[in-house]
């Protein structure tokens, strides 16, 4: 008798139970993540009354794959440019909230007498709010278009990024004997080095490759290529000492800057949903009822720690970032839960065998409770604000609101010196890391074979050293030239040089310093491969750098490399503008901080479709203005009153929070309801024979009223030929004509009675 592996049987059980439970949770309007956790609890060996998974090891392997694809999808939603454009406000809020919640988590863990490593990981788990749960809560409550929700989403994106870094740091802490400052600094520098290297190289090679094969690639091959790149980077990440999930996130963020990003997101979504479901089911499988009962008090205290901690420190973090008190409290109260990253951090701790077994189910229980309480916390923000306003002195409230207004209205102006120094440091960092990576590759992969070949041909390895040194210097020469020459003719450099003679000496010093940095790379190569005296090596290094500076070939190469990189980095934005998916540039320039742009999509069954803006009277009904209509690749800016809306049009609407919320709710309500008797609209074709006495005899088609009166259409007349004959509009119908008519069943019956 044929049998199947236990893995298939376990997978069938998991998916069937998860499907049934998530349908129930969908009906109850609860997050699907909770449904997966409950499903995992039901199929775990901890539930003796139900069928349970046989081989937990295989399921956890699949769950590890799920983490990889979850973080890959997170990377696809991450944009380097978006983070850089956020400014300092979200960074201040995110960092202050994470630090405060990590400290609270550590204090709570030590109060329970838990181990030092349990407390560290607990702090990391409590610091991570849930993007998925907050996003769903905002949509369900109609808050997604309000201004404060965008601030929360910006902070959540940064929290996800910092969670990736936190995972790497926790791995480094778990691998050492303790918190060593030098070890931590080394880990940070290692993260920065590989992040810059992977992003720069990846953003140069991957978009270029996808552009070259764009004509050949289909949805199927694009999915395979994307997942292949994800797994490849996961393997590379583990080889250099990071987690596979970290590498998957990096590759996702690289692909996020390509033109194909939106397409890849849609293709990867089903894969992420499948493996993500298995991961969250595996989370539920680790929940033990005995532990939940034993640790009921710590669970309750941790829930209160999150609710009160986020309400206070979350609001304070947003207040420090420049939000007004009301918006800051709405933002802080929204983040009072822990989400998916808490489970991933807990899984990391278990896999490293550094946290206790009880911590995982405790965190899951805390997550479930805080998830259910999230909508109530969001609703409680405004009443708490009103109560606080009544208690606090008015001058305090005025001072807070005045500071927030000043922060929102003041544009960050950077002096030419700051701009120049920032650009020079970033440029030197990027090209220095690229040069170091090339040197490491050449010394580890090319030097040994060249030495063996040189020894076999000349009896000594010095020729191999010379060839390796020359090749290495040639390969890094475009990068070294960019370190020295980049920004020497920029607007900031020219303005500083011209406006004051005092600036010239420090400007010359920046050039000399960069020459020394470039020469240091050449000096290191020569020192490693030769036995020349230091004075000779320094002379050769300086001469090599001067040659690089004067070389026109290297100038063209460095400009070409940078131009290609910049084009790849901007390709997604360019495509978004072409397709009308990018919001207008003036969005961030609205003077009133309560006014912003909302993007809405006209439903397919909307009653607004087919009507003009003049007839819809949005300005009178809601107080909003439609600034743009996006229809496929067509972008209609400043539409007139005669502009017609069509289904699936994306419209850009300007208004305040309340106006946009009312607009969105009304748009969802004013739709045509689905016809319960849709079957009666089925179209059929029948013969219609004109018998004596028929009212149609002697009339033309237009005079007969078959189309207008009976809602049917004559497609032809049968005249004994193989094909139907089209009726001449002027021809009068005669007795015995056999007409072929199309219409709904009821209309055809009414027509037949009159024939």
């Amino acid at each position: 008798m044929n049998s199947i592996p236990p893995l298939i049987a376990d997978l069938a059980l998991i998916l069937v139970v998860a499907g049934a439970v998530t349908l129930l949770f969908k009906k109850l309007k609860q997050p699907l993540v909770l449904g997966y956790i409950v499903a995992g609890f039901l199929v775990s060996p901890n539930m003796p009354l139900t069928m349970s998974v046989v081989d937990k090891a295989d399921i956890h392997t699949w769950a590890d794959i799920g983490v990889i694809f979850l973080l890959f999808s997170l990377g696809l939603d991450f944009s380097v440019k978006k983070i850089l454009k956020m400014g300092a406000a979200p960074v201040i809020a995110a960092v202050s909230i994470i630090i405060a919640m990590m400290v609270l988590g550590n204090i709570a863990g030590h109060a329970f007498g838990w181990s030092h490593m349990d407390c560290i990981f607990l702090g990391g788990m409590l610091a991570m709010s849930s993007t998925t749960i907050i996003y769903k809560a905002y949509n369900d409550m109609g808050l997604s278009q309000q201004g404060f929700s965008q601030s929360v989403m910006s902070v959540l994106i940064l929290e996800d990024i910092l969670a990736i870094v936190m995972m790497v740091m926790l791995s480094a802490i778990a691998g050492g004997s303790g918190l060593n400052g030098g070890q931590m600094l080394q880990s940070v520098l290692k993260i920065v080095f590989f992040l810059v290297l992977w992003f720069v190289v990846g953003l140069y090679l991957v978009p270029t490759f996808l552009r070259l094969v764009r004509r050949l690639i289909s949805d199927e091959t694009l999915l395979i290529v994307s997942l292949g790149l994800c797994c490849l980077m996961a393997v590379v990440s583990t080889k250099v000492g990071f987690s596979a999930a970290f590498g998957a996130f990096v590759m996702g963020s690289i692909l996020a800057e390509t033109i194909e990003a939106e397409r890849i997101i849609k293709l990867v979504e089903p894969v992420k949903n499948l493996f993500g479901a298995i991961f969250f089911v595996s989370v539920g499988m680790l929940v033990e009822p005995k532990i939940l009962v034993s640790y009921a008090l710590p669970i309750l205290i941790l829930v209160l720690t999150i609710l009160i901690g986020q309400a206070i420190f979350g609001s304070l973090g947003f207040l420090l970032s420049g939000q007004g008190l009301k918006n800051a409290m709405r933002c802080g109260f929204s983040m009072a839960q822990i989400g998916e990253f808490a489970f991933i951090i807990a899984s990391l701790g278990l896999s490293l065998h550094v946290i206790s077994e009880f911590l995982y189910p405790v965190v899951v229980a805390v997550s479930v409770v805080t998830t259910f309480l999230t909508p109530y916390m969001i609703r409680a923000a405004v009443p708490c604000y009103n109560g606080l306003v009544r208690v606090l002195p008015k001058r305090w409230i005025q001072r807070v609101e005045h500071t927030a207004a000043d922060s929102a209205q003041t544009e960050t102006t950077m002096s030419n010196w700051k701009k120049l120094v920032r650009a020079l440091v970033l440029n030197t960092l990027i090209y220095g890391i690229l040069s170091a990576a090339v040197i490491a590759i050449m010394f580890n992969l090319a030097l040994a074979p060249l030495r063996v070949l040189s020894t076999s041909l000349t009896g000594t390895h010095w020729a191999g050293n010379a060839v390796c040194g020359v090749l290495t210097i040639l390969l890094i020469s475009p990068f070294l030239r960019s370190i020295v020459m980049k920004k020497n003719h920029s607007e900031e450099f020219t303005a500083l040089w011209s406006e004051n003679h005092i600036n010239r000496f420090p400007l010359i010093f920046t050039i000399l310093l960069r020459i020394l940095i470039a020469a240091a790379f050449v000096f290191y190569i020569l020192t490693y491969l030769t036995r020349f005296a230091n004075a000779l090596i320094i002379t050769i290094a300086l001469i090599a750098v001067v040659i690089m500076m004067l070389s026109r070939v290297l100038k063209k190469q460095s400009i070409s490399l940078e131009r290609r990189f910049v084009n790849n980095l901007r390709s997604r934005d360019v495509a978004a503008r072409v397709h009308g998916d990018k919001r207008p540039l003036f969005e961030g320039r609205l003077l009133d901080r309560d006014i912003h742009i909302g993007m809405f999509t006209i439903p397919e069954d909307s009653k607004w479709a087919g009507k003009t803006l003049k007839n819809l009277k949005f300005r009178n009904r809601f107080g909003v203005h439609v600034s743009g209509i996006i229809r496929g690749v067509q972008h209609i800016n400043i539409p007139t009153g005669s502009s017609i809306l069509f289904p699936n049009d994306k419209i850009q609407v300007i208004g305040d929070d309340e106006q946009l919320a009312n607009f969105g709710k009304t748009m969802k309500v004013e739709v045509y309801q689905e016809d319960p008797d849709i079957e009666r609209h089925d179209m059929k074709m029948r013969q219609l024979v004109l018998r004596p006495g028929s009212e149609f005899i002697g009339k033309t088609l237009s005079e007969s009223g078959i189309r207008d009166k009976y809602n049917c259409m004559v497609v032809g007349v049968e005249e004994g030929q193989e094909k139907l004959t089209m009726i001449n509009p002027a021809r009068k119908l005669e007795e015995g004509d056999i007409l072929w008519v199309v219409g709904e069943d009821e209309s055809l019956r009414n027509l037949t009675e009159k024939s």
Side-chain angles (χ1 to χ4, degrees):
M1 186 176 180
N2 293 333
S3 60
I4 59 174
L7 176 62
I8 305 299
D10 290 341
L11 184 61
L13 177 63
I14 285 174
L15 294 182
V16 169
V17 175
V21 174
T22 50
L23 284 174
L24 175 62
F25 272 64
K26 191 74 173 177
K27 179 69 174 178
L28 299 175
K29 297 183 178 180
Q30 296 300 323
L32 296 185
V33 172
L34 293 182
Y36 293 137
I37 294 174
V38 172
F41 178 69
L42 294 176
V43 301
S44 70
N46 301 318
M47 282 292 289
L49 301 179
T50 59
M51 295 177 62
S52 61
V53 168
V54 177
D55 195 340
K56 291 178 65 175
D58 284 341
I59 298 302
H60 287 304
T61 300
W62 283 52
D64 292 338
I65 300 174
V67 173
I68 291 174
F69 289 143
L70 280 173
L71 291 183
F72 179 59
S73 298
L74 175 65
L76 287 171
D77 291 328
F78 166 74
S79 172
V80 180
K81 301 188 298 296
K82 186 186 296 185
I83 297 298
L84 294 177
K85 291 178 181 178
M86 284 181 181
V91 177
I92 294 172
V95 172
S96 58
I97 291 172
I98 288 176
I99 292 175
M101 295 307 298
M102 288 188 71
V103 171
L104 287 179
N106 271 273
I107 293 174
H110 284 296
F112 301 140
W114 295 349
S115 70
H116 186 59
M117 200 60 69
D118 283 342
C119 295
I120 292 176
F121 273 80
L122 177 64
M125 297 176 209
L126 299 192
M128 297 294 109
S129 298
S130 173
T131 306
T132 304
I133 293 169
I134 295 176
Y135 183 78
K136 181 184 183 302
Y138 281 165
N139 280 339
D140 292 344
M141 300 173 69
L143 302 175
S144 58
Q145 295 290 343
Q146 298 200 11
F148 80 93
S149 67
Q150 303 304 316
S151 301
V152 174
M153 288 302 162
S154 299
V155 171
L156 288 172
I157 292 173
L158 284 172
E159 280 196 352
D160 290 341
I161 306 307
L162 293 174
I164 302 293
V165 179
M166 185 187 299
M167 289 173 61
V168 178
M169 300 302 299
L170 289 174
S171 298
I173 294 172
S177 57
L179 286 172
N180 184 287
Q183 200 175 43
M184 294 290 291
L185 179 60
Q186 184 180 2
S187 299
V188 171
L189 293 177
K190 185 178 179 181
I191 293 172
V192 172
F193 177 84
F194 281 104
L195 269 179
V196 173
L197 178 63
W198 286 339
F199 273 118
V200 173
V201 175
L203 286 174
Y204 183 83
L205 295 180
V206 174
T208 303
F209 166 73
L210 292 178
R211 188 180 294 112
L212 291 174
V213 300
R214 186 174 299 154
R215 295 177 180 271
L216 304 175
I217 204 161
S218 63
D219 285 350
E220 181 179 356
T221 53
L222 182 59
L223 174 62
I224 300 301
V225 168
S226 302
L227 295 182
L229 291 172
C230 167
C231 295
L232 174 63
M233 184 57 80
V235 173
V236 172
S237 178
T238 57
K239 294 295 183 182
V240 298
F242 299 131
S243 66
F246 180 69
F249 170 81
V250 170
M251 180 51 67
S253 56
I254 291 172
L255 290 173
E257 303 299 342
T258 65
I259 296 177
E260 290 80 6
E262 302 294 338
R263 189 176 166 195
I264 294 173
I265 291 173
K266 292 179 181 178
L267 293 173
V268 172
E269 186 77 13
V271 180
K272 181 203 76 171
N273 290 340
L274 171 62
F275 286 97
I278 295 174
F279 167 73
F280 290 116
V281 168
S282 71
V283 170
M285 290 170 60
L286 294 176
V287 177
E288 297 184 24
K290 294 180 181 179
I291 292 181
L292 296 183
V293 174
S294 303
Y295 288 86
L297 181 60
I299 291 173
L300 176 61
I301 294 177
L302 289 177
V303 169
L304 294 176
T305 300
I306 292 170
L307 298 181
I308 299 174
Q310 287 285 10
I312 296 176
F313 294 104
S315 301
L316 183 61
F318 281 97
L319 195 64
L320 292 174
S321 70
Q323 293 285 339
L325 181 59
K326 183 177 182 179
N327 276 350
M329 292 184 67
R330 297 179 79 181
C331 294
F333 278 61
S334 298
M335 302 183 71
Q337 76 291 125
I338 58 176
E340 302 80 7
F341 258 111
F343 308 142
I344 297 175
I345 293 173
S347 298
L348 174 66
L350 285 179
S351 64
L352 296 173
H353 305 290
V354 294
I355 64 173
S356 303
E357 295 287 341
F358 70 83
L359 192 57
Y360 205 128
V362 166
V363 169
V364 171
V366 172
S367 174
V368 171
V369 175
T370 54
T371 297
F372 278 117
L373 294 177
T374 294
Y376 301 101
M377 287 294 293
I378 295 175
R379 293 191 183 98
V382 175
C384 289
Y385 165 76
N386 294 333
L388 195 61
V389 168
R390 288 193 293 267
V391 173
L392 291 178
K394 289 186 177 180
R395 66 177 183 273
W396 289 14
I397 302 295
Q398 292 173 352
R399 176 66 61 87
V400 169
E401 298 295 348
H402 178 70
T403 303
D406 289 344
S407 174
Q409 295 176 4
T410 302
E411 295 186 1
T412 57
T413 58
M414 187 180 296
S415 68
N416 286 331
W417 268 117
K418 289 183 179 180
K419 291 180 180 179
L420 180 62
V421 171
R422 178 181 175 182
L424 291 178
V425 170
L426 183 62
N427 182 71
T428 303
L429 176 66
I430 292 175
Y431 286 111
I433 289 176
L434 289 175
S435 301
V438 171
I439 293 172
I441 292 172
M442 291 297 294
F443 284 4
N444 286 282
L445 299 180
L447 181 56
L450 288 173
R451 281 178 170 176
V452 172
L453 180 61
S454 173
T455 303
S456 63
L457 294 177
T458 65
T460 178
H461 68 277
W462 293 114
N465 284 15
V467 173
C468 182
V470 171
L471 289 176
T472 304
I473 292 174
L474 288 176
L475 288 174
I476 68 173
S477 56
F479 306 142
L480 299 185
R481 188 189 185 282
S482 295
I483 291 176
V484 177
M485 301 300 293
K486 187 70 176 170
K487 292 297 178 180
N488 289 350
H489 300 286
S490 63
E491 294 181 6
E492 297 83 5
F493 192 100
T494 305
L496 290 169
W497 185 273
S498 303
E499 69 184 17
N500 198 329
H501 289 283
I502 299 176
N503 292 332
R504 295 188 178 183
F505 177 76
L507 289 173
I508 293 174
F509 176 76
T510 63
I511 298 175
L512 294 175
L513 180 61
R514 285 178 282 152
I515 290 175
L516 292 177
I517 293 173
F521 282 98
V522 181
F523 179 84
Y524 173 78
I525 295 171
L526 296 177
T527 303
Y528 190 87
L529 298 175
T530 69
R531 293 183 179 177
F532 297 154
N534 287 341
L536 179 59
I537 293 177
I538 293 173
T539 303
I540 295 174
L542 292 174
I543 292 174
V545 172
V546 172
I547 293 174
M548 294 175 192
M549 294 169 57
L550 299 176
S551 173
R552 293 186 174 273
V553 176
L554 288 180
K555 180 180 179 180
K556 291 181 180 180
Q557 287 182 350
S558 60
I559 292 175
S560 176
L561 289 172
E562 185 172 346
R563 190 170 294 166
R564 174 64 63 84
F565 176 81
V566 172
N567 288 339
N568 288 342
L569 190 61
R570 294 176 178 174
S571 59
R572 188 177 182 184
D573 284 343
V574 173
R577 293 190 187 98
V578 171
H579 294 97
D581 295 329
K582 195 171 182 64
R583 292 190 175 190
L585 296 176
F586 67 84
E587 180 184 13
R589 298 177 179 270
L590 296 172
L591 297 178
D592 191 340
R593 61 188 171 93
D594 291 329
I595 302 296
H596 58 277
I597 292 180
M599 185 75 76
F600 299 88
T601 300
I602 303 298
E604 293 184 355
D605 51 358
S606 175
K607 293 182 180 179
W608 296 354
K611 297 181 180 179
T612 63
L613 294 179
K614 181 179 180 180
N615 293 332
L616 292 170
K617 300 179 180 179
F618 290 151
R619 188 182 305 174
N620 296 333
R621 295 172 62 190
F622 308 104
V624 300
H625 302 268
V626 178
S627 61
I629 301 175
I630 302 170
R631 184 176 302 143
V633 297
Q634 186 181 9
H635 200 152
I636 306 171
N637 290 324
I638 316 300
T640 63
S642 60
S643 298
I644 301 175
L645 293 183
F646 291 92
N648 294 320
D649 276 356
K650 295 179 182 178
I651 57 175
Q652 297 168 340
V653 184
I654 301 177
D656 60 26
D657 288 343
E658 184 179 356
Q659 292 167 344
L660 293 177
N662 292 334
F663 182 88
K665 290 179 182 178
T666 307
M667 182 187 70
K668 294 179 180 179
V669 171
E670 294 188 0
V671 295
Y672 294 102
Q673 300 300 319
E674 185 176 354
D675 192 345
D677 300 323
I678 193 170
E679 292 84 359
R680 66 188 180 87
H681 295 299
D682 186 27
M683 298 284 285
K684 298 180 179 179
M685 178 183 286
R686 290 183 183 174
Q687 279 186 339
L688 182 66
V689 181
L690 299 186
R691 298 182 177 86
S694 173
E695 69 176 42
F696 304 130
I697 295 176
K699 298 180 180 179
T700 63
L701 278 181
S702 59
E703 295 170 345
S704 68
I706 293 177
R707 178 189 288 268
D708 300 330
K709 183 178 178 181
Y710 297 98
N711 198 31
C712 295
M713 180 176 65
V714 178
V715 296
V717 61
E718 186 174 320
E719 296 181 343
Q721 301 176 359
E722 184 177 349
K723 297 182 179 180
L724 295 178
T725 303
M726 298 296 295
I727 300 181
N728 189 329
R731 175 184 182 277
K732 294 187 177 182
L733 301 177
E734 301 175 357
E735 181 182 339
D737 279 348
I738 302 176
L739 306 179
W740 284 91
V741 186
V742 173
E744 296 179 5
D745 190 59
E746 184 178 352
S747 300
L748 290 173
R749 282 201 303 269
N750 294 335
L751 180 64
T752 304
E753 292 174 358
K754 300 296 182 179
S755 63

